[in-house]
Every structure is written in C-alpha cells, then in structure tokens.
Amino acid sequence: MKILTTIFLFCLIQVAAYAQPVLKGNIVSGGKPVPFASVSIAGKGVVTDSAGKFKTEIVQFGHYGIKVSAAGYVSSIHHVTVVDAVTIITIELQPLQNNLSEIVITGTMKEVSRAESPVPVEVITPKLFQKNPVPNLFEAMSMVNGVKPQLNCNICNTGDIHINGMEGPYTMILIDGMPIVSALSTVYGLSGIPNSIVERIEVVKGPGSSLYGSEAMGGIINVITKNPIKAPLVSADVFTTSWKEYSVDAATKFKIGSATSLFGINYFNYNNPVDNNKDGFTDVTLQNRISVFNKWSIERKENRLASVAARYVYEDRWGGEMRWNKAFRGSDSIYGESIYTKRWELIGMYQLPVREKILAQFSFNRHEQNSWYGTTPYMADQQVLFAQLYWDKQFGEQHNFLLGGSYRYTLYDDNTPGTASADGIKNAPSYTPLPGIFVQDEWKLSNRHKLLMGYRYDYDRHHGNVHSPRIAYKWTPGKSNTIRASFGTGYRVVNLFTEDHAALTGAREVVIAESLNPERSYNGNLNYTLKIPMRDAFIGLDITGFYSYFTNKIVGDFDADPNKIIYDNLKGHAISKGVALNADINFSFPLKILAGVTYMKVYQVESNSGTIEKTTQLHAPEWSGNLTATYSFPLQFILDITGRWDGPMRLPVLPHDYRPEYSPWFCIANVQLTKKFTGGFELYGGVKNIFNFVPHNPIMRPFDPFDKMVNDPVNNPYGYTFDPSYNYAPLQGVRGFIGMRYQLGRKSGQH
C-alpha cells in the first residue's frame, strides 16, 4: 500500500511539473468591459464573456502575440511573456470611428454633434474622395448615395448636381454656409471647387428654405473649408491619367501674429482630344483651370470666431469637332463650344465682442461667363452680395434659440431675352434684393425627445411675401437607434437662362410661354438609424423615406415641337418620392464597406385638354446605388474598390428617335491600390471605369451641327436636328491613373 501511495504522489508531482500555463485576461475600452471579443493566441481562439474576461491554456512558457478584435473596436495585436503558471493581463481596445460624434452645422446652422442633430445630415470627408481621386468636387459627389452629378451636354460637359432625382437648380450649394454657388454658377462653377480646401461636406436632403431661403428646395450641399489653425503645415496631391489629364493640388499654412493663413492652389489640365466613338467630336471637354484659395483664421479672446477667405477661379474649356480651334470660335464652319469663366469669391465670419453669441457673416462673388455654343453667344455677369447676422442663445437646459436676418442682392446681366426690356430693344439687367428674417427653437423635451421648429419670412419685390416654416422631431428609444421626422417647405425664384443649359445649346428655339412664377415645394422625411454590434462586425444602418410635392414647377417641353423648347409653369404638380438605405459595415478583420441604394419615383402630373398626363422626370433613375470597399494589407498597402450604378432613366429623345428613350443598367467601377510610407507620404494608382462603359449615339446628327442639311426629305425624313443633350453617363472609358500625396504636420484630432 505504501508503494502504491508513493507512486500516486510521484505521478501527481510530475503532472503538476508539466501542467500547461494558464493565461487570463480582461478586455476593456474606456474602463468598461468589452463582451464577446475574439482573442487569438498561438493558433487558439477564445471569446470573452459578458464581463469581458477570458481564460486559455498555453502549450509552454515563452513570448506570444495576442490578436484581439471586437465589433465596433479597432483590431489590435499585443505581446505578452508567460513565465508563471497563471498570467493575468488587461488589454485596452480603441472604438471605431462611426462618424456619429462629428460636428455638423448645416441642419440647424449651429454646431451640434451629428448624433444629436434633429435633422439628418450626411457627412463626407476628403478621405472618402481619396478612394477614387478626381480633380474637382462635382465628380467627387458621385460617391454619395442619392446624389447624382449629371452632365447636361456631351460637348462642353457642363453639369449640375441632382439630389433625390431633382434637377441641379433645386440643390443649394453653400461654402461655409454662404450661398456662393447659385444660379449661373450652379451650372458653370462647380468644377472649380478643388478638394484641397475641403474639410468636410454636409448633405441635407429635402427643403431648407426656413434657414437658407430661395433655391434650397431639393436639398443642401454645404462645403466646409479647412480651418487654417488645424490644417496640415504642407499638403500636396498630384495625379495623372492615361488620357493625359494632370491635376495638382497643394496647400501650405503660415502664421503672422494671432492670424493663421492657409494658402492653396489647384491646377487641372487636359489638352488631349480623344474621339473613341468616332463621331467626329471630342469625347471629353478639353480644360485648363486654375483655382487659388487663401483663408485666414484669427485667434481672439474667449475663442471668439473670426475668419476671412478669398478664392479666384479661371477656366478655359472647349469641346466640339476634332478639327476645331479658337479661330473658329463663333463661326458656322467647324462646330465648337468654348467657355471662358472668371470667378471671384470673398467669405467672412466675425463673432461680435459682446457677452451674447452673435455672429455676422458676409460674402461676395462675381461670376463672368464668355461662351459660344456654335454660333450662339452667351455673355453673362452675375454678382451676389450676401450678409447675415444671427443670435445663438441657450435658454435654460431645454431651449436652444436662433434668431437672425439676412440680405441677398443679386445682379444678373446677359445677352439673352432673359434680361431684355419688355419691347426687346434695350438691355435690362436683373436686380434682385431679397431680405429675410428667420427664427428657430431647438427644444429638448427630454433626454430622448427633441423638437425643432423654424420659420423664415422673405420678401421678393416681384412675388411679394414668402413664408417658409419647418418642423423636425427626434426620438432616441435607445443607445443603438434613432428616429427622425421632419416637414418643411421650399421656394425658388427662377432665372431660366442661368440654370438650363439646354436653352443655350443645340439648334432649338427657346419659347417662354408666360411670365414664370416662383416654384414652391412641400417635403416630408422619415429617417431611422440603427447600430448593430456583432461578434465579428459592426453595422450601421441609415434608412430614409422622402416625399416632396412641387407646385408651379418650371418645365421644358422638348416633345411638342422638335425645333423648340417651350418653358412654362406646370399646370399641375410634381412628385419626388422614394426611400434610401445606407450601410456602414466594419469587420473585425481589416475590411470596411460603405454601400447605399436609392429607390425613387420622380414625375409630374398635369391636365391636358381634360386628360391627366403623368410624365417621368428626365435623368432620374428609379434605382441607383454606390459601393466603397476598403481592405488594409500588411506593410501599409490599402485596396479600394469604388463604384456607382444606375438603373434605367428617361432621356431627352426627339420624335421618331431611333435611340432608346431609357438608358440601360450600367455601373462605373474603379479600383485603387495605395502604399503608405512613413513621414506622411503616399503613392497610389489604379484603373477607372474598369468595365469600359460609355453611352452609345450621344450626339444626334454630329455630321451636320449647324443644321444646314436638315431639310432633306430623302436622307432626313423625320427632320432630325443636331442635339448633344442625350446624356446619362460620362463618355470617358477605361483609363489608368497614378499619383502621390504628401502631408506634413497635421494637428492631432483632425478627422
């Protein structure tokens, strides 16, 4: 018996001597446990319990790398040395950025966190644009769900930005909250905004006239420029494509006393005529554009705001027959469309040195246009002066109050009937003063309920009193979901020739049936956001239903007469309705996906001789969407796949047109590989439009651009005329690109 006992004790001692060491740990973030986190060590994986704790056995003592990942947190690798039978460690995880803590301004005209805003605001940063580098803001907006940059001419490539299917003039473009880009420059000025000056872009879908006045009918795009104090010391982004496009974006900052200046320059050049579709016309407009930007931010006592910025843009662009040069500008021998643009902008903000928070804002811009569309000249000059003063006041813990007034004065002159006297003999430039006042109360009913009420009054000397109320409600049932509902109105005072490019190009005669009345819109939105933490992913969903009703809508009738465009107020109403879904998915491994899809119905209804007619809006696809997928490889390599797809959209066809009235389904997809180096240096390259999709037959009768052979019953029995407006996608096919970025001294805390 003693022998058996001795043998048993000896075995226990041997087992204890060779027992596997145990590793115990706590996974936390901000001092709080992280449940259901994945922990991988030496090929073995375990999951933390509800208290963020884990336990695992290890084969032997030594040094180990531990990989930890959890939904909603940044994956990380930690190192531990196991020398004891039981080792206990604590690992801290960093939360993923989900953009809900970002500060936004556009929805309420005051800085609030995006999560707290009662108005849904989409925030886009230049980091997204860098996944598919483009030389201007116009092209970059194609990466936003429900926002469509639409080219309106296949020759000069001018365009506008559509939100939820509504044409460009219904989208208000702001720079730092100022109505810098509007009317004439909505069509001709967007391509002059370089990405280098942009800190972020805020998008509000639906009317915003209660705060911003005329033009904010379909939505608002607010370009927030960089704060010089927080900007990098030096930044540069240079790229070229296989089509011989060249883009240079550079900026630097310096300080003089209490003032910090950010100086930037953007240059884009494309001087390589290409005619891949063999219609005798350039596929892409040739451009030579320079933009210079300078912004000053002044440090003041009590952190009061003071800044001033100026920008100058010059652009020379042309498209047309491959044989065209400037000697043929305005002639009827070789067709070309040539546009010279000069633009000056001045923007300022100053917080008054008083106890209350009172801010003064001002802006001035001048846009000069010198254009020839074949033999049709368009010479225009637009000047806009804007000033605004508002009081931002917190009353107790519940009411956040805003009261202000604004004044916008627009001078517009051109060589069209739009600025002619009643007898058509004299020139009569348009002078439009537009004073207004607005009030808004953001009422915090409780920690979960918030109500926003707003009202604006404007006076137009031609159309009288204009009232624009708005109401929005936000309910937060829990930490992971939010419901927002809003209703608002919008209005728009129209200058036809500044907004509809079709009125200036091609051979059609423009007919204005009557005096055009201001348009009105009524809009309702219902938005739901949901955050879903999972074991291996974090999913953010954002779904919005929208409905807009328009009266007095100004429409161009392209169908009644093939030789005319007839403009008139709609004798009925127009509808824009649909639903948009955005998904933001972060996986525990280094993959991130942004995806969106929009379904919408955009149409107009009017009575014609007692018959109700329903017409689908041009360039408004029922289905559209986008995708951005980013995967990070070892050694600082990043792969980006981006794409936008559109379903069939109605196009401006001619009577008996042999071209389809609806476009096909198509996708413009791109791929990019980036290599990051130490010191803020990056190299990138890739392929754009990898499926090489281009539209067919974009120009009607390109061989007769001056309609000299239209009256030929044998060769032209249907009386087709030259028309370059059949457009639904860029004519630029597959192409490669390569570039570099450099950034020095970016202040921490910047997104």
Side-chain angles (χ1 to χ4, degrees), residues 370-381:
N370 181 326
S371 312
W372 282 89
Y373 302 93
T375 58
T376 303
Y378 177 58
M379 309 297 168
D381 181 9

Side-chain angles (χ1 to χ4, degrees), residues 74-373:
V74 178
S75 299
S76 58
I77 297 178
H78 303 263
H79 296 276
V80 62
T81 301
V82 179
V83 295
D84 299 318
V86 178
T87 302
I88 301 176
I89 61 173
T90 298
I91 295 177
E92 178 84 15
L93 291 184
Q94 298 299 320
L96 285 168
Q97 295 290 336
N98 58 22
N99 294 331
L100 292 177
S101 61
E102 289 180 321
I103 299 299
V104 295
I105 300 174
T106 310
T108 60
M109 204 183 284
K110 57 177 64 185
E111 291 190 345
V112 296
S113 83
R114 183 185 172 201
E116 291 299 318
S117 173
V119 178
V121 180
E122 295 186 40
V123 179
I124 303 99
T125 68
K127 287 293 185 183
L128 178 63
F129 300 152
Q130 290 176 1
K131 298 178 184 300
N132 178 34
V134 291
N136 58 66
L137 175 63
F138 176 80
E139 296 179 53
M141 294 306 295
S142 66
M143 301 181 71
V144 182
N145 184 30
V147 178
K148 177 178 174 59
Q150 175 61 45
L151 292 177
N152 297 317
C153 175
N154 288 309
I155 297 178
C156 66
N157 289 167
T158 53
D160 50 25
I161 294 181
H162 296 194
I163 294 180
N164 290 341
M166 301 309 300
E167 302 98 312
Y170 295 86
T171 299
M172 189 174 202
I173 311 292
L174 306 171
I175 298 183
D176 288 336
M178 299 288 97
I180 290 293
V181 183
S182 59
L184 177 65
S185 55
T186 298
V187 177
Y188 297 98
L190 288 172
S191 61
I193 301 178
N195 295 333
S196 62
I197 73 172
V198 178
E199 176 65 28
R200 68 183 187 275
I201 296 174
E202 299 178 4
V203 179
V204 176
K205 298 174 182 177
S209 292
S210 65
L211 279 183
Y212 296 101
S214 176
E215 300 171 36
M217 288 184 69
I220 301 168
I221 297 176
N222 192 3
V223 181
I224 309 297
T225 61
K226 293 179 178 177
N227 183 341
I229 297 174
K230 298 180 180 179
L233 181 63
V234 177
S235 64
D237 192 341
V238 180
F239 74 88
T240 183
T241 73
S242 57
W243 277 49
K244 299 181 180 179
E245 298 164 293
Y246 302 97
S247 177
V248 178
D249 223 334
T252 184
K253 75 172 183 180
F254 54 89
K255 189 172 183 179
I256 300 177
S258 61
T260 303
S261 173
L262 176 65
F263 180 83
I265 186 169
N266 173 268
Y267 178 70
F268 178 75
N269 180 274
Y270 173 63
N271 193 30
N272 178 42
V274 174
D275 180 24
N276 285 339
N277 61 6
K278 307 301 180 184
D279 61 3
F281 278 72
T282 54
D283 291 344
V284 178
T285 299
L286 284 78
Q287 301 176 52
N288 187 36
R289 181 179 67 244
I290 187 168
S291 174
V292 180
F293 171 80
N294 189 209
K295 182 176 183 179
W296 291 81
S297 183
I298 303 170
E299 298 181 41
R300 300 173 60 204
K301 293 180 179 179
E302 300 180 10
N303 293 321
R304 291 192 178 100
L305 302 173
S307 65
V308 63
R311 188 168 72 101
Y312 172 74
V313 181
Y314 174 78
E315 183 179 47
D316 175 3
R317 66 161 63 196
W318 74 269
E321 295 186 75
M322 293 289 287
R323 299 174 296 153
W324 189 91
N325 60 55
K326 292 183 179 180
F328 297 102
R329 198 171 193 257
S331 73
D332 65 350
S333 54
I334 298 178
Y335 189 90
E337 296 185 0
S338 172
I339 302 170
Y340 300 153
T341 298
K342 293 180 181 178
R343 182 170 177 80
W344 298 265
E345 299 170 356
L346 181 66
I347 307 172
M349 173 183 284
Y350 182 78
Q351 184 175 347
L352 272 58
V354 295
R355 183 176 180 180
E356 299 292 338
K357 187 176 181 180
I358 302 176
L359 290 97
Q361 295 176 297
F362 68 90
S363 68
F364 174 78
N365 67 84
R366 183 172 187 178
H367 188 106
E368 293 184 357
Q369 192 80 28
N370 181 326
S371 312
W372 282 89
Y373 302 93

